[in-house]
Amino acid sequence: MAKLVIIDDEAAILELMSKLCRAAGHTVFGCTTGIDGMAAIRSQQPDLVIVDLRIGDVNGLDLVSMCKDQFPNTAVIMVTGHGTVETAVEAMRLGAFDYLTKPFDLGDLIKTVNQALNRNNPTANTSNPILGTSATVRSAASSKLIGHSDAIQRIFEIVRRVADNDSPVLLEGEFGVGKHMVARALHEASRRSGSPFKELQCSAMPEDALEAELFGHTNGQGGIFSRASGGTVHLAEVHVLPARIQAQLNTFLDEMQARRSAWSNSNGSDFRLVVSTTICLEEASKKGTFREDLYYKLSVVPLKIPPLRERCEDIKPLVDHFLKELTDRTDSRAKSMDAYALEFLEKYPWPGNISELRNAVERACAFAENDRIRPADLPAKVTQQIEVPTTSVSGGTTQLPIGSTLDDFIRGQERLFIQETLKYNNGSREKTASMLGVSIATLYRKMGLNVDRKTTA
């Protein structure tokens, strides 16, 4: 169908993208270095180049500029991380067609490739025969909504009911509650699932770059709304939009509404808008920090996502999902969560919500010595420290690290007792060993020192 050059210095990601594009019928030339990539571009003169922003020997932006100058008919898609979105927008200014932020949905890769190849024929059918109307292969950034609680079930029902309603949706909730996943689920449950899903973190770039990314670049390259034609745009952290851009977005939505009946014939105007925020946008509009008229346009379908601490029954299915996800991603043996460890997870308040839970499960898998995750493998803040009364005459309390193993606790208490006795004896190891009733060799061993150092102490 088309000739593609893909450049990425991560061999596994390069192989994955190449395999998917070949399955879609394209001829693919994969390169792990910028030098090889530039040579392939010059020799093959491909229809499309996919390039990682950060490759070891060449700046991805230089490749974009080279293609723009020497091969103007070659489209370029930039692949970037969340921390370099501003640079990806710079790539758009230099002439890139679009960018994908890691970790990206593999279905989005094919949709973006199709859009780039059909950029001069916007009415072309961009559905993919391999993936159908909805991508079945996903990256770690899964859009799957998971949970058994009444709260999450209500969200499932609202998503089902409004998926094919083109009215804007406002998602409110704390950081990490899964607003991205709900936005993605809305897209995939709708008739737009075969078209692009574009997401923009409004706090990720300065005002000028944000304006260009929303409404178009000076080189004529379309903004995010035109690149998501037929699909869904998710504007995350919409409350941080500067007042000037709020006004522009308000005017833009007025124009879209005026042309709504002609969307099917208006290139770049057919999209579903989803916005999300970590604050109450209604209160912000009353305080004057967010335009009231824009708030009403964005909140046609409001949906508040409760924090994880209010739906503890969702923790176990989420943990099971994360464990399976890690197993699939790392191609390792499946691990299970000990019942006592799960009890700690269900009692912890999770201020970072689902994002924090995911990180805790990943950390526990890294620390687990076998296929079963124990309380000792969990972060200390999750297993918590409890206070119990001391038996000393002075009274008071002491903290016990519930969740740690007995051996770890005893070793920790030994080290603490030795350190305090050393202080009492002004650092004299001989006096400390005598006071503790152990040999100097035993003292050195428990301090983690080489016993041979005794002669030089």
Side-chain angles (χ1 to χ4, degrees), residues 16 19 23-24 31 46-47 81 120 132 148 223 273 314 321 357 369 395 428 452:
L16 188 61
K19 183 177 180 181
C31 306
D47 303 290
N120 296 322
H148 302 321
L273 180 60
D314 292 338
H321 171 71
L357 176 62
E369 294 182 355
S428 172
D452 291 339

Tab-separated table of all heavy atoms in Angstrom, residues 16 19 23-24 31 46-47 81 120 132 148 223 273 314 321 357 369 395 428 452:
chain	number	residue	atom	x	y	z
A	16	LEU	N	7.628	-3.727	17.211
A	16	LEU	CA	6.172	-3.712	17.396
A	16	LEU	C	5.502	-2.812	16.373
A	16	LEU	O	4.516	-3.204	15.721
A	16	LEU	CB	5.847	-3.233	18.815
A	16	LEU	CG	4.392	-3.314	19.262
A	16	LEU	CD1	3.896	-4.756	19.232
A	16	LEU	CD2	4.233	-2.737	20.658
A	19	LYS	N	5.850	-4.361	12.838
A	19	LYS	CA	4.974	-5.521	12.655
A	19	LYS	C	3.535	-5.082	12.402
A	19	LYS	O	2.846	-5.618	11.515
A	19	LYS	CB	5.048	-6.406	13.895
A	19	LYS	CG	4.238	-7.692	13.802
A	19	LYS	CD	4.441	-8.539	15.053
A	19	LYS	CE	3.641	-9.838	14.966
A	19	LYS	NZ	3.831	-10.658	16.200
A	23	ALA	N	1.395	-5.541	8.980
A	23	ALA	CA	0.111	-6.255	9.001
A	23	ALA	C	-0.986	-5.434	8.333
A	23	ALA	O	-1.962	-5.994	7.812
A	23	ALA	CB	-0.286	-6.566	10.445
A	24	ALA	N	-0.811	-4.098	8.332
A	24	ALA	CA	-1.773	-3.225	7.658
A	24	ALA	C	-1.517	-3.132	6.161
A	24	ALA	O	-2.218	-2.410	5.456
A	24	ALA	CB	-1.730	-1.829	8.281
A	31	CYS	N	14.749	1.216	11.297
A	31	CYS	CA	16.111	1.648	11.591
A	31	CYS	C	16.232	1.991	13.068
A	31	CYS	O	15.337	2.613	13.647
A	31	CYS	CB	16.483	2.885	10.765
A	31	CYS	SG	16.258	2.687	8.973
A	46	PRO	N	10.299	7.422	1.072
A	46	PRO	CA	9.032	6.809	1.519
A	46	PRO	C	7.865	7.791	1.504
A	46	PRO	O	8.040	9.010	1.411
A	46	PRO	CB	9.361	6.385	2.957
A	46	PRO	CG	10.371	7.385	3.415
A	46	PRO	CD	11.223	7.657	2.196
A	47	ASP	N	6.675	7.214	1.605
A	47	ASP	CA	5.471	8.035	1.720
A	47	ASP	C	5.332	8.605	3.127
A	47	ASP	O	4.725	9.662	3.309
A	47	ASP	CB	4.225	7.190	1.403
A	47	ASP	CG	4.308	6.568	0.024
A	47	ASP	OD1	4.214	7.321	-0.963
A	47	ASP	OD2	4.473	5.330	-0.060
A	81	GLY	N	7.708	11.361	24.372
A	81	GLY	CA	7.253	11.068	25.722
A	81	GLY	C	6.448	12.229	26.266
A	81	GLY	O	6.441	13.334	25.710
A	120	ASN	N	-3.946	14.368	1.773
A	120	ASN	CA	-4.364	15.147	0.604
A	120	ASN	C	-5.710	14.696	0.063
A	120	ASN	O	-6.197	15.217	-0.938
A	120	ASN	CB	-3.310	15.052	-0.509
A	120	ASN	CG	-1.989	15.666	-0.078
A	120	ASN	OD1	-1.980	16.690	0.615
A	120	ASN	ND2	-0.888	15.056	-0.467
A	132	GLY	N	-10.118	-3.258	12.136
A	132	GLY	CA	-11.551	-3.036	12.118
A	132	GLY	C	-11.883	-1.644	12.619
A	132	GLY	O	-11.104	-0.718	12.525
A	148	HIS	N	-16.039	-2.997	40.458
A	148	HIS	CA	-17.321	-3.613	40.809
A	148	HIS	C	-18.207	-2.681	41.628
A	148	HIS	O	-19.354	-3.012	41.912
A	148	HIS	CB	-17.087	-4.885	41.627
A	148	HIS	CG	-16.247	-5.914	40.921
A	148	HIS	ND1	-16.372	-6.165	39.573
A	148	HIS	CD2	-15.277	-6.750	41.383
A	148	HIS	CE1	-15.506	-7.125	39.229
A	148	HIS	NE2	-14.830	-7.480	40.294
A	223	GLY	N	-4.433	22.163	13.712
A	223	GLY	CA	-4.394	21.930	15.136
A	223	GLY	C	-4.994	20.586	15.490
A	223	GLY	O	-5.390	19.797	14.625
A	273	LEU	N	-15.858	16.455	21.762
A	273	LEU	CA	-14.988	17.097	22.732
A	273	LEU	C	-15.251	16.552	24.137
A	273	LEU	O	-16.387	16.542	24.612
A	273	LEU	CB	-15.201	18.617	22.716
A	273	LEU	CG	-14.345	19.432	23.690
A	273	LEU	CD1	-12.861	19.226	23.390
A	273	LEU	CD2	-14.708	20.907	23.612
A	314	ASP	N	-13.176	-1.730	44.354
A	314	ASP	CA	-12.552	-1.746	43.025
A	314	ASP	C	-11.063	-2.062	43.083
A	314	ASP	O	-10.433	-2.289	42.040
A	314	ASP	CB	-12.738	-0.387	42.331
A	314	ASP	CG	-14.184	-0.107	41.966
A	314	ASP	OD1	-14.955	-1.072	41.862
A	314	ASP	OD2	-14.543	1.073	41.792
A	321	HIS	N	-5.840	-6.672	37.436
A	321	HIS	CA	-5.589	-6.158	36.089
A	321	HIS	C	-4.140	-5.697	35.938
A	321	HIS	O	-3.475	-6.016	34.939
A	321	HIS	CB	-6.538	-4.999	35.800
A	321	HIS	CG	-6.229	-4.266	34.534
A	321	HIS	ND1	-6.444	-4.807	33.280
A	321	HIS	CD2	-5.688	-3.032	34.316
A	321	HIS	CE1	-6.066	-3.943	32.351
A	321	HIS	NE2	-5.599	-2.861	32.957
A	357	LEU	N	-1.849	3.420	42.969
A	357	LEU	CA	-2.029	1.977	43.134
A	357	LEU	C	-1.227	1.211	42.088
A	357	LEU	O	-0.567	0.213	42.401
A	357	LEU	CB	-3.515	1.620	43.032
A	357	LEU	CG	-3.859	0.127	43.084
A	357	LEU	CD1	-3.429	-0.495	44.414
A	357	LEU	CD2	-5.362	-0.091	42.851
A	369	GLU	N	10.208	-11.774	46.055
A	369	GLU	CA	11.250	-12.766	45.785
A	369	GLU	C	10.710	-14.000	45.076
A	369	GLU	O	11.470	-14.788	44.537
A	369	GLU	CB	11.922	-13.177	47.105
A	369	GLU	CG	12.699	-12.036	47.756
A	369	GLU	CD	13.397	-12.466	49.026
A	369	GLU	OE1	13.191	-13.629	49.444
A	369	GLU	OE2	14.151	-11.655	49.607
A	395	GLY	N	6.422	5.843	80.006
A	395	GLY	CA	5.213	5.730	79.194
A	395	GLY	C	5.451	6.149	77.769
A	395	GLY	O	6.553	6.024	77.246
A	428	SER	N	33.144	4.209	71.247
A	428	SER	CA	34.072	3.120	71.572
A	428	SER	C	33.405	1.769	71.302
A	428	SER	O	32.457	1.391	71.984
A	428	SER	CB	34.500	3.207	73.045
A	428	SER	OG	35.245	2.060	73.399
A	452	ASP	N	38.144	-7.734	60.149
A	452	ASP	CA	39.582	-7.466	60.067
A	452	ASP	C	39.901	-6.023	60.456
A	452	ASP	O	41.026	-5.713	60.792
A	452	ASP	CB	40.107	-7.741	58.655
A	452	ASP	CG	40.079	-9.227	58.325
A	452	ASP	OD1	40.039	-10.022	59.285
A	452	ASP	OD2	40.081	-9.569	57.139
